[in-house]
Amino acid sequence: MDSLNEMWSVVCEDLKQTLGEVIFNVWLKPVEIKSFDGSVVSLSVVDFIRKTLEKNFMDDIRNAFKSQLGLDVEISFVDPEAVEENVQPQEITKS
């Protein structure tokens, strides 16, 4: 993959097929990939969606990375406001 966005796009297509377009559009479309260090993927998302993802979709996200890219990853969420303001992103949670 040439870029983070391409990598995330491949994962999102898998998630859309797995979860259905409506669920994907509500819960995963707003998510943006911010970094990947080889084992930890940092995703930027508002707190309300983060909580739902943690509760309901973490296995689906990890499975999509594994099936599409062959990667076993940990998921880390970052505050989108910190990212937008070009402040060092604070990790909200790692699952």
Side-chain angles (χ1 to χ4, degrees), residues 4-93:
L4 285 175
N5 289 332
E6 287 178 78
M7 182 172 69
W8 183 238
S9 179
V10 168
V11 170
C12 285
E13 284 303 315
D14 182 281
L15 290 166
K16 193 182 297 185
Q17 294 298 315
T18 301
L19 301 172
E21 195 162 346
V22 172
I23 291 172
F24 174 83
N25 286 339
V26 170
W27 298 111
L28 290 152
K29 191 173 183 178
V31 178
E32 294 182 19
I33 190 166
K34 292 300 175 186
S35 68
F36 176 62
D37 71 2
S39 62
V40 178
V41 175
S42 293
L43 302 175
S44 175
V45 65
V46 296
D47 194 50
F48 173 72
I49 292 176
R50 176 190 59 83
K51 289 177 183 177
T52 301
L53 294 178
E54 288 179 332
K55 184 176 179 184
N56 300 302
F57 300 111
M58 294 304 289
D59 287 340
D60 296 305
I61 296 170
R62 284 191 202 98
N63 289 340
F65 272 95
K66 181 68 173 176
S67 68
Q68 294 302 311
L69 304 171
L71 300 171
D72 289 314
V73 298
E74 290 184 42
I75 307 296
S76 172
F77 292 100
V78 295
D79 181 346
E81 291 181 14
V83 173
E84 287 176 11
E85 295 171 2
N86 203 22
V87 174
Q88 182 66 29
Q90 290 185 330
E91 189 174 286
I92 296 173
T93 185

